[in-house]
Coordinates of all heavy atoms in Angstrom, one line a residue:
D1016 N 5.9 -41.3 -29.2 CA 6.9 -41.2 -30.3 C 8.0 -42.3 -30.2 O 8.9 -42.3 -31.0 CB 7.6 -39.8 -30.2 CG 6.7 -38.7 -30.4 OD1 5.6 -38.9 -31.2 OD2 6.9 -37.6 -29.9
A1017 N 7.8 -43.2 -29.3 CA 8.8 -44.3 -29.2 C 8.8 -45.2 -30.5 O 7.8 -45.4 -31.1 CB 8.5 -45.2 -28.0
S1018 N 10.0 -45.7 -30.8 CA 10.1 -46.5 -32.0 C 9.5 -47.9 -31.7 O 9.3 -48.2 -30.5 CB 11.6 -46.7 -32.3 OG 12.3 -47.5 -31.3
P1019 N 9.3 -48.7 -32.7 CA 8.8 -50.0 -32.5 C 9.7 -50.9 -31.6 O 9.3 -51.6 -30.7 CB 8.6 -50.6 -33.9 CG 8.4 -49.4 -34.8 CD 9.2 -48.3 -34.1
F1020 N 11.0 -50.7 -31.8 CA 12.0 -51.4 -31.0 C 11.9 -51.0 -29.5 O 11.9 -51.8 -28.6 CB 13.4 -51.1 -31.4 CG 14.5 -51.6 -30.5 CD1 14.8 -52.9 -30.4 CD2 15.2 -50.7 -29.6 CE1 15.7 -53.4 -29.5 CE2 16.1 -51.2 -28.7 CZ 16.4 -52.5 -28.7
Q1021 N 11.7 -49.7 -29.2 CA 11.6 -49.2 -27.9 C 10.3 -49.7 -27.2 O 10.3 -50.1 -26.1 CB 11.6 -47.7 -27.8 CG 13.0 -47.1 -28.2 CD 13.0 -45.6 -28.5 OE1 11.9 -45.0 -28.7 NE2 14.2 -45.0 -28.5
R1022 N 9.2 -49.7 -28.0 CA 8.0 -50.2 -27.5 C 8.1 -51.7 -27.1 O 7.6 -52.2 -26.1 CB 6.8 -50.0 -28.5 CG 6.4 -48.6 -28.6 CD 5.4 -48.4 -29.7 NE 5.0 -47.0 -29.9 CZ 4.0 -46.4 -29.2 NH1 3.3 -47.1 -28.4 NH2 3.8 -45.1 -29.4
A1023 N 8.7 -52.5 -28.0 CA 8.9 -53.9 -27.8 C 9.8 -54.1 -26.5 O 9.5 -55.0 -25.7 CB 9.5 -54.6 -29.0
L1024 N 10.9 -53.4 -26.5 CA 11.8 -53.5 -25.3 C 11.1 -53.1 -24.0 O 11.3 -53.8 -23.0 CB 13.1 -52.7 -25.5 CG 14.1 -52.7 -24.4 CD1 14.6 -54.1 -24.2 CD2 15.3 -51.8 -24.8
H1025 N 10.3 -52.1 -24.1 CA 9.5 -51.7 -22.9 C 8.6 -52.8 -22.5 O 8.5 -53.2 -21.3 CB 8.7 -50.4 -23.2 CG 7.9 -50.0 -22.1 ND1 6.5 -50.3 -22.0 CD2 8.1 -49.2 -21.0 CE1 6.0 -49.8 -20.9 NE2 7.0 -49.1 -20.3
L1026 N 7.8 -53.4 -23.4 CA 6.9 -54.5 -23.0 C 7.6 -55.7 -22.5 O 7.2 -56.3 -21.5 CB 6.0 -54.9 -24.2 CG 4.9 -55.9 -23.9 CD1 4.0 -55.3 -22.8 CD2 4.1 -56.1 -25.2
V1027 N 8.7 -56.1 -23.1 CA 9.5 -57.2 -22.6 C 10.0 -56.9 -21.2 O 9.9 -57.8 -20.3 CB 10.7 -57.6 -23.5 CG1 11.7 -58.5 -22.9 CG2 10.1 -58.1 -24.9
T1028 N 10.5 -55.7 -21.0 CA 11.0 -55.3 -19.6 C 9.9 -55.3 -18.6 O 10.1 -55.7 -17.5 CB 11.7 -53.9 -19.7 OG1 12.7 -54.0 -20.7 CG2 12.3 -53.6 -18.4
V1029 N 8.7 -54.8 -19.0 CA 7.5 -54.9 -18.1 C 7.2 -56.3 -17.7 O 6.9 -56.6 -16.5 CB 6.3 -54.2 -18.7 CG1 5.0 -54.5 -18.0 CG2 6.5 -52.7 -18.8
M1030 N 7.2 -57.2 -18.7 CA 6.9 -58.6 -18.4 C 8.0 -59.3 -17.5 O 7.7 -60.1 -16.6 CB 6.8 -59.4 -19.7 CG 5.6 -59.0 -20.5 SD 4.0 -58.8 -19.6 CE 3.8 -60.5 -19.0
L1031 N 9.3 -58.9 -17.7 CA 10.4 -59.4 -16.8 C 10.1 -58.9 -15.4 O 10.3 -59.7 -14.4 CB 11.7 -59.0 -17.4 CG 12.2 -59.7 -18.6 CD1 13.4 -58.9 -19.2 CD2 12.5 -61.1 -18.4
A1032 N 9.8 -57.6 -15.3 CA 9.5 -57.1 -13.9 C 8.3 -57.7 -13.3 O 8.3 -58.0 -12.1 CB 9.3 -55.6 -14.0
T1033 N 7.3 -58.1 -14.1 CA 6.1 -58.8 -13.6 C 6.5 -60.1 -13.1 O 6.1 -60.5 -12.0 CB 5.1 -58.9 -14.7 OG1 4.7 -57.6 -15.2 CG2 3.9 -59.7 -14.3
G1034 N 7.3 -60.9 -13.8 CA 7.8 -62.2 -13.4 C 8.6 -62.1 -12.1 O 8.5 -62.9 -11.2
A1035 N 9.5 -61.1 -12.1 CA 10.3 -60.8 -10.9 C 9.4 -60.6 -9.7 O 9.6 -61.1 -8.6 CB 11.3 -59.7 -11.1
T1036 N 8.4 -59.7 -9.8 CA 7.5 -59.4 -8.8 C 6.8 -60.6 -8.3 O 6.7 -60.9 -7.0 CB 6.5 -58.3 -9.2 OG1 7.2 -57.2 -9.6 CG2 5.5 -58.0 -8.1
A1037 N 6.3 -61.4 -9.2 CA 5.6 -62.7 -8.8 C 6.5 -63.6 -8.0 O 6.1 -64.2 -7.0 CB 5.0 -63.4 -10.0
L1038 N 7.7 -63.8 -8.5 CA 8.6 -64.7 -7.8 C 9.2 -64.2 -6.5 O 9.3 -65.0 -5.6 CB 9.8 -65.0 -8.8 CG 9.5 -65.9 -10.0 CD1 10.6 -65.9 -11.0 CD2 9.2 -67.4 -9.5
L1039 N 9.4 -62.9 -6.4 CA 10.0 -62.4 -5.2 C 8.9 -62.2 -4.1 O 9.3 -62.1 -2.9 CB 10.6 -61.0 -5.5 CG 11.9 -61.1 -6.3 CD1 12.4 -59.7 -6.7 CD2 13.0 -61.9 -5.6
T1040 N 7.6 -62.2 -4.5 CA 6.6 -62.1 -3.4 C 6.0 -63.5 -3.1 O 5.3 -63.6 -2.1 CB 5.5 -61.1 -3.9 OG1 4.9 -61.5 -5.1 CG2 6.0 -59.7 -3.9
A1041 N 6.2 -64.5 -3.9 CA 5.7 -65.8 -3.7 C 6.1 -66.4 -2.4 O 5.2 -67.0 -1.7 CB 6.1 -66.7 -4.8
P1042 N 7.3 -66.2 -1.9 CA 7.6 -66.8 -0.6 C 6.7 -66.3 0.6 O 6.4 -67.0 1.5 CB 9.1 -66.4 -0.3 CG 9.6 -66.3 -1.7 CD 8.5 -65.7 -2.5
A1043 N 6.4 -65.0 0.5 CA 5.5 -64.5 1.6 C 4.1 -65.1 1.5 O 3.5 -65.4 2.5 CB 5.4 -62.9 1.4
A1044 N 3.6 -65.3 0.3 CA 2.3 -65.9 0.1 C 2.4 -67.4 0.6 O 1.4 -67.9 1.3 CB 1.9 -65.9 -1.4

């Protein structure tokens, strides 16, 4: 039942978290 805005905000936030995960784990790799 999420609004289009909520869905878009959710996806953008997921992508930001994905980028953060990649960058914060890169030094170990």
